[in-house]
Amino acid sequence: MIVGLDMGGTHIDAVIIEDGRIIKTVKKPNDRDNVFQSIWTTLKELLLGHDKSKISRINLSTTVSTNAIVENNTSSVGMIIQSGPGLPHDFLACGDENVFISGYVNHGGKLVRELELKEIEEAVSLFKEKNIEACAVVTKFSNRNPNHEIKIKELLSKDFSNITMGHTMSGKLNFPRRVFTSYLNAAVHNTFMNFSNNIRRSCQKEGIHAPLFILKADGGTMSLEAAEKKPVETILSGPAASFMGISAMLETDKDAILLDIGGTTTDIFFLADGVPLFEPLGIQINSYKTLVRSVYSVSIGLGGDSSINIDKGNIRIGPHREGKPYAFGGPKPTPTDAMIVLGEIQAGDRKLAYDSMNILGKQLGLSELDTAKLILETMGDMVKDKISELLYEINSRPVYTVKELLHGKKLNPKLIHIIGGPAKVLAPYLEKKLSIPCHCPKNYHIANAVGAALAKPTAEINMLADTSQGILSVSELGIYEKINKDFSLDSARKKAIELLKEHAKSIGAYAEEIEAEIVEESFFNKVSGFYTTGKNIRIKAQIKPGLLEVLNHEG
């Protein structure tokens, strides 16, 4: 028995799934001022009458990290950055306080210049004076040699407990992205810890002892303990749940558009031959480009509860939500009010919904019904225009999926899969606008919770073996081992799969769930003068997103 919870901005959706069948669903308001109460009451209602000892795991998706960043409600962060020579560093100053220090290692991981300890002591004094809450330490090429980061953390740990080291974030070579990823990890740490403590308290109060997992941006999960160390991985957890929910409910092997239309936003995804598009370098949130691996998704400020205004004789929907729909006592007309007027939704105060359409209709010279129809037509046009814009961008560059780089691939969607509260109402409008079939699954309203429940653990490692230096490194795992000159590409492949499987188990994966694969590899000889001095071997291995169970669509 699996429990899935999707904690959105306005509601918590929860589901019990057993043997591929949806047993029970619950939707409750999410009080962001009392997270514990929201989680506990949802679990209590969901599990009423069910044997809690049968729960094999609880999977959660949450917007808590994303909201903290978007709303600028994060901890103050002191950054210590060692950028080395040749790189202007002003654009890397992302923290509340930023200290750039001397010393560096080269691209091969060799120490060129040692740390100046006095600079670190001055940084500590500054951070204490400014009441800094968290720290991040990032040195260039730390994924090849993390010694400077480790030494700096030791010095900081006397005065600070929340410290992120850049080499633990990713083994990929992109220093600016590693800086921003480390900053965000430190910035959301306290917020995420508060959330995880509330989850644990809720489970304890309900007598639940099942393992807890958190959805990541790549559509996979990690244990709650692992997420506490790398909360940055949970950014865009909500859209990932949407994607996994659509994938579980509606399968296809064609190019497709996937949509989750919620109360505040619409999330857009794409499939290439049934396989999800991926961000090849990592996601961007606000102005921060990161190394967080992710399903490709784009959110726009358009949803059922988006506020509607008239601007120069035209309807403007969103991008903000200013409260509940007018029919529920909110301040502004919304698309939900239009759906109530058209009889598509049986909820709220119908008279208030008509009043809201009348307010807009007077400015447009239209009746309440015609105004409501125009609002839904406008929503359809807005989604269509954004999809067209995104397809142009995607088809102007190489297409990456979770499996591979598709050379020469041009996306040509043949269908739309749609979930979310307004999904059933908007499906015919989108089908007409985009001239392709639009499918809405049976349980579209709780698809996010289903996606969270069924998501499998995922992982990725980046391994470098340099036989000239006799070093094998996997920086995200903190592994730096000696190897001999006979270490081969075949040895590297076996080692990468072995380490990936061990890592997957450490973040909560069960052995039978692990399907490890190598997705990138390179090999070249290192030459000095006229002699080969060794081999440089690079391996990227992953456990890709997938479903724990196949959903029984009859259940």
Side-chain angles (χ1 to χ4, degrees):
M1 192 163 81
I2 303 171
V3 171
L5 270 77
D6 174 58
M7 300 192 61
T10 54
H11 289 93
I12 300 179
D13 292 329
V15 63
I16 297 174
I17 296 178
E18 189 169 18
D19 298 327
R21 293 183 303 117
I22 298 172
I23 303 299
K24 187 175 180 180
T25 67
V26 165
K27 182 185 284 284
K28 301 283 285 184
N30 184 10
D31 182 357
R32 290 169 64 179
D33 295 325
N34 194 340
V35 176
F36 166 72
Q37 187 71 17
S38 296
I39 298 168
W40 174 61
T41 54
T42 302
L43 283 174
K44 188 176 180 67
E45 184 173 330
L46 180 72
L47 297 170
L48 188 65
H50 292 274
D51 185 352
K52 296 167 191 173
S53 68
K54 289 185 177 181
I55 302 171
S56 60
R57 70 175 75 202
I58 297 178
N59 285 358
L60 305 104
S61 69
T62 173
T63 59
V64 64
S65 295
T66 307
N67 289 344
I69 295 165
V70 171
E71 296 167 6
N72 198 27
N73 188 23
T74 55
S75 299
S76 56
V77 179
M79 299 290 298
I80 295 180
I81 302 170
Q82 186 187 75
S83 57
L87 179 70
H89 57 232
D90 291 352
F91 77 101
L92 298 172
C94 53
D96 296 87
E97 296 294 336
N98 302 277
V99 177
F100 291 88
I101 60 171
S102 52
Y104 67 97
V105 299
N106 67 16
H107 67 281
K110 286 186 177 180
L111 176 64
V112 178
R113 184 179 172 187
E114 192 47 273
L115 286 172
E116 294 284 347
L117 295 183
K118 190 171 184 294
E119 294 177 341
I120 311 305
E121 291 167 1
E122 290 172 352
V124 170
S125 297
L126 173 65
F127 295 168
K128 288 168 70 176
E129 178 190 337
K130 298 292 186 179
N131 295 316
I132 291 297
E133 299 167 278
C135 302
V137 183
V138 195
T139 65
K140 198 171 185 184
F141 297 118
S142 61
N143 54 334
R144 302 283 170 82
N145 182 345
N147 287 342
H148 280 179
E149 288 185 356
I150 293 168
K151 285 181 183 177
I152 294 168
K153 181 181 178 180
E154 288 173 358
L155 294 169
L156 288 171
S157 61
K158 298 169 187 174
D159 298 285
F160 301 94
S161 58
N162 177 2
I163 306 167
T164 294
M165 293 186 291
H167 74 275
T168 65
M169 293 293 100
S170 174
K172 295 176 185 175
L173 277 174
N174 191 312
F175 182 58
R177 282 181 180 263
R178 192 177 305 111
V179 170
F180 299 137
T181 306
S182 302
Y183 161 72
L184 291 175
N185 195 69
V188 301
H189 180 269
N190 289 346
T191 299
F192 188 83
M193 286 301 297
N194 180 57
F195 167 77
S196 67
N197 288 335
N198 281 313
I199 289 290
R200 285 197 169 90
R201 284 175 58 210
S202 300
C203 288
Q204 286 169 3
K205 189 165 183 177
E206 276 303 295
I208 299 168
H209 305 291
L212 298 162
F213 292 82
I214 299 291
L215 220 71
K216 303 188 294 179
D218 68 357
T221 61
M222 66 199 304
S223 68
L224 186 60
E225 292 80 10
E228 288 171 346
K229 295 173 185 173
K230 291 180 73 173
V232 71
E233 296 276 0
T234 70
I235 292 170
L236 300 188
S237 169
S242 305
F243 171 78
M244 295 306 293
I246 301 171
S247 301
M249 292 180 163
L250 295 166
E251 299 174 29
T252 182
D253 59 359
K254 297 181 173 63
D255 289 1
I257 302 160
L258 311 186
L259 299 173
D260 176 15
I261 303 181
T264 308
T265 59
T266 293
D267 297 324
I268 305 170
F269 314 85
F270 295 95
L271 301 180
D273 302 322
V275 180
L277 262 61
F278 242 58
E279 293 284 5
L281 298 177
I283 59 175
Q284 178 172 341
I285 183 163
N286 285 4
S287 60
Y288 304 111
K289 293 181 178 180
T290 77
L291 289 170
V292 177
R293 93 187 205 130
S294 172
V295 171
Y296 174 93
S297 69
V298 173
S299 293
I300 58 174
L302 177 68
D305 295 349
S306 296
S307 61
I308 303 176
N309 296 287
I310 305 300
D311 184 17
K312 297 177 182 176
N314 296 310
I315 285 178
R316 181 164 57 83
I317 308 174
H320 303 296
R321 176 184 184 271
E322 296 182 37
K324 299 175 182 178
Y326 205 83
F328 292 86
K332 288 281 189 71
T334 68
T336 296
D337 295 302
M339 294 175 201
I340 292 170
V341 166
L342 293 171
E344 300 283 5
I345 296 177
Q346 309 301 320
D349 187 322
R350 192 171 174 81
K351 182 181 182 305
L352 285 176
Y354 264 90
D355 290 344
S356 72
M357 293 301 103
N358 181 258
I359 291 167
L360 298 174
K362 283 181 178 178
Q363 300 175 67
L364 296 167
L366 297 174
S367 68
E368 292 90 346
L369 282 174
D370 287 340
T371 301
K373 290 175 186 174
L374 181 58
I375 287 168
L376 299 193
E377 291 283 353
T378 302
M379 283 189 83
D381 287 331
M382 290 173 71
V383 174
K384 177 193 173 185
D385 291 346
K386 189 62 182 181
I387 287 170
S388 299
E389 176 191 324
L390 293 174
L391 282 172
Y392 178 80
E393 290 176 7
I394 290 166
N395 287 330
S396 300
R397 60 176 189 253
V399 174
Y400 287 85
T401 72
V402 69
K403 287 171 60 177
E404 60 193 335
L405 165 62
L406 301 176
H407 294 281
K409 171 72 176 179
K410 300 294 182 187
L411 274 193
N412 183 21
K414 301 298 183 185
L415 50 88
I416 306 164
H417 287 169
I418 183 172
I419 62 168
K424 199 167 186 179
V425 178
L426 289 173
Y429 290 87
L430 292 168
E431 187 167 283
K432 176 184 169 187
K433 301 284 182 185
L434 289 151
S435 301
I436 53 177
C438 186
H439 304 294
C440 180
K442 177 182 174 183
N443 291 296
Y444 64 90
H445 57 292
I446 44 95
N448 288 29
V450 171
L454 294 178
K456 291 170 62 174
T458 55
E460 177 187 273
I461 63 166
N462 295 270
M463 189 174 81
L464 170 67
D466 186 338
T467 63
S468 66
Q469 294 190 57
I471 293 290
L472 178 147
S473 63
V474 184
S475 74
E476 52 262 82
L477 304 185
I479 291 174
Y480 297 85
E481 300 176 351
K482 289 186 177 181
I483 53 173
N484 60 40
K485 289 189 178 293
D486 297 328
F487 193 82
S488 65
L489 178 59
D490 189 51
S491 303
R493 290 174 183 142
K494 290 176 182 175
K495 185 69 173 177
I497 293 296
E498 175 190 317
L499 290 174
L500 179 61
K501 288 182 176 180
E502 288 176 8
H503 173 52
K505 289 176 184 176
S506 76
I507 62 169
Y510 303 141
E512 63 272 16
E513 299 167 358
I514 299 173
E515 296 178 25
E517 62 181 359
I518 291 170
V519 287
E520 289 179 21
E521 62 179 43
S522 65
F523 169 97
F524 60 89
N525 290 320
K526 298 184 76 171
V527 178
S528 179
F530 296 101
Y531 300 96
T532 299
T533 59
K535 301 181 286 288
N536 184 292
I537 304 169
R538 302 178 190 185
I539 302 278
K540 182 163 86 170
Q542 72 167 3
I543 299 167
K544 65 185 179 184
L547 301 172
L548 291 166
E549 299 179 5
V550 175
L551 196 63
N552 182 345
H553 297 289
E554 300 302 319

